[in-house]
Amino acid sequence: MDAFAARLETLEHHWMRAWMRGDRKLMKEVASRDFVLLLGGASPTMLDRASWLEAATTRLRLHSYRFGDIYVRRHGGVGVFTAQLELDAALGDHEWKGKMWVSDLWRKHRLRNSWKLVERFISRPDEDDVLRSELTKLQLWN
């Protein structure tokens, strides 16, 4: 594993562990101001940064996670992290468990020597209409 891949994988684990702890401060530091999370499916759902930070520290709780095969690639000031992800989370009483794919887009900060998470795409092979509906309710702009 090259140094860049190791760096991005470390940042991914920091991000996921911050979510598990409900550490809003760390998630806010890692996420860019224009961060979005997109849950892919037949009817995709998106959360902006404010919606994500609120949800991840209150109602959308991560219990455990595990990355499977990991793919990292750098394109200048942009990095791509893609992995199989096994997730055990809950949104209120609704369980969000299973295997899925996660793809994260990282951008190097122009003034600092740090990387910021810009976009997270999660896709599942199966449909979960309850989860999609509940995530849509978390959108602060609605």
Side-chain angles (χ1 to χ4, degrees):
M1 177 183 305
D2 69 16
F4 178 73
R7 172 85 173 131
L8 229 51
E9 186 174 343
T10 298
L11 287 170
E12 289 284 343
H13 285 290
H14 284 303
W15 173 261
M16 296 298 284
R17 290 178 185 140
W19 180 14
M20 284 178 59
R21 292 188 311 270
D23 185 344
R24 182 184 183 96
K25 181 181 178 194
L26 181 56
M27 283 189 289
K28 193 173 180 179
E29 284 177 19
V30 172
S32 70
R33 291 180 190 261
D34 56 348
F35 171 81
V36 295
L37 177 139
L38 179 67
L39 179 65
S43 298
T45 305
M46 183 178 73
L47 296 178
D48 65 357
R49 182 180 189 227
S51 302
W52 165 256
L53 291 171
E54 174 65 23
T57 56
T58 58
R59 297 172 279 171
L60 184 55
R61 305 303 302 175
L62 177 62
H63 305 298
S64 66
Y65 75 95
R66 180 179 16 207
F67 291 124
D69 294 336
I70 294 173
Y71 168 82
V72 175
R73 190 159 180 202
R74 184 173 185 172
H75 301 278
V78 175
V80 176
F81 174 95
T82 302
Q84 296 167 332
L85 173 64
E86 190 167 342
L87 196 68
D88 180 0
L91 178 54
D93 292 335
H94 183 73
E95 291 184 348
W96 184 18
K97 291 184 176 185
K99 293 181 180 179
M100 55 203 72
W101 282 95
V102 63
S103 295
D104 289 340
L105 181 65
W106 293 82
R107 180 176 55 216
K108 191 166 188 176
H109 193 279
R110 291 184 187 122
L111 301 176
R112 298 180 191 98
N113 192 21
S114 64
W115 289 86
K116 298 287 186 178
L117 183 55
V118 179
E119 295 191 25
R120 169 164 273 196
F121 306 95
I122 299 175
S123 58
R124 296 179 57 131
D126 61 325
E127 277 301 309
D128 188 337
D129 290 331
V130 173
L131 180 63
R132 185 189 58 76
S133 174
E134 291 301 311
L135 281 174
T136 299
K137 293 176 188 174
L138 298 176
Q139 296 169 335
L140 295 178
W141 64 85
N142 283 332

